[in-house]
Amino acid sequence: MPAKDGSAVADLGQRRASFQRARSRETKRELVQGAMAMWRTKGYATTTVADICAAAGVSKALFYFYFPRKEDVLFEVGVLSTQSASRTIHAMLDKPYEIDAVLRAALTAFERSMARNPPELIIETILEGYRHEHRILAAGGPPDVDADMFTELFRRAQADGKIRPEVDITHLAYVAQTLVSEGARHWAAGAFGDRAFADVVTADICTFITGSQRS
C-alpha cells in the first residue's frame, strides 16, 4: 500500500480537526438547549446537572468537560444572545447606517431572544454575567470578548466620523454593554411597563454617546 504524502496527511488531519470542532460545538449547543428546556419548565433553581444531561442525552462526564458548573451554562445563554445581536450589527455595517438604527435593530434581536425565557431566568443570566466578569477581573484577565456587543459598531462609527476621534471606544462599548445588562434586568422585572426594551436602551446608549462627545 503506497504511503500517503505529507500534504494528504495534513489535509486529513485538518478535516478531522474541523469535524471535531463542529461536533464539539454541536454537543455544547445541545447541552445549552437541554438546559433551556428544563429551566423553562422546571425552573432554574430546581434544575440539576443530571436533569440537563437527561434532556440533552449526554453523560454528566461530558457535561463537565464543557461546563465546570451549572451556572456556566447560564452564562453561555447570555453569550448566545449577545452574539445574535452582534451578527445583526455586523450585517448592517455592510451598507449606509446610522448608529441609533443599528443599535435599535441589534437590541430588538436581543429582546426577541429574552422574550422566549421566563423573567427569573433572564435575571439569573444577567447576575451570572456579572459574577463571571468579576471572576475574570479578579484573576487579572482581560474582559470576555464573547460578551462584547458594541466594539465593532463604535470603531466603525469612529472611523466614519460619527463618533469623535478622542472618544475611548473600549470604555464606550463597556458602558453600553452595562446599560444593556441593567436594562435587561429592569425589563425582566417589569420596570419598563409597556415600553419596549430596545427603545428604552437604545435611547439610553445614544444619550451616553452624545454626552461622551461633548467638549
Side-chain angles (χ1 to χ4, degrees):
M1 182 177 178
K4 296 179 180 178
D5 62 33
S7 61
V9 172
D11 182 60
L12 179 61
Q14 289 174 350
R15 279 184 287 158
R16 283 177 176 169
S18 296
F19 173 77
Q20 288 171 346
R21 285 194 295 271
R23 187 174 180 182
S24 176
R25 286 193 296 268
E26 179 64 19
T27 300
K28 196 171 185 180
R29 185 182 66 84
E30 288 172 355
L31 281 167
V32 171
Q33 289 181 336
M36 293 295 292
M38 293 302 302
W39 290 337
R40 286 167 181 162
T41 57
K42 189 176 179 180
Y44 174 74
T46 57
T47 298
T48 65
V49 169
D51 292 331
I52 295 171
C53 292
V58 303
S59 68
K60 288 178 74 173
L62 191 58
F63 175 93
Y64 286 116
F65 176 79
Y66 290 100
F67 300 106
R69 307 169 305 131
K70 181 180 79 169
E71 292 80 5
D72 291 307
V73 187
L74 196 62
F75 178 74
E76 185 71 16
V77 171
V79 167
L80 292 175
S81 297
T82 298
Q83 290 175 341
S84 175
S86 296
R87 286 193 294 272
T88 299
I89 290 173
H90 183 78
M92 292 186 71
L93 294 181
D94 287 338
K95 52 192 175 184
Y97 68 94
E98 294 299 331
I99 295 175
D100 61 339
V102 177
L103 287 171
R104 183 169 283 103
L107 295 177
T108 297
F110 192 83
E111 184 173 358
R112 282 197 298 265
S113 178
M114 288 196 297
R116 293 193 289 267
N117 300 303
E120 173 210 12
L121 187 56
I122 296 169
I123 293 170
E124 287 289 345
T125 301
I126 297 301
L127 295 177
E128 181 55 32
Y130 286 144
R131 288 189 287 264
H132 180 84
E133 179 186 36
H134 175 72
R135 287 192 296 270
I136 289 177
L137 295 177
D144 195 326
V145 294
D146 289 332
D148 174 36
M149 190 186 298
F150 298 113
T151 297
E152 180 185 14
L153 168 61
F154 294 157
R155 282 182 178 162
R156 171 67 181 274
Q158 192 173 56
D160 291 341
K162 298 176 185 291
I163 294 177
R164 285 167 54 171
E166 65 269 22
V167 172
D168 183 340
I169 294 301
T170 299
H171 182 67
L172 182 63
Y174 176 80
V175 173
Q177 189 65 50
T178 300
L179 290 171
V180 170
S181 297
E182 283 300 288
R185 189 167 65 87
H186 285 86
W187 178 81
F192 288 178
D194 294 333
R195 295 177 297 168
F197 164 85
D199 290 342
V200 174
V201 179
T202 295
D204 289 344
I205 294 173
C206 287
T207 298
F208 182 76
I209 292 173
T210 302
S212 73
Q213 298 201 79
R214 291 175 185 161
S215 53

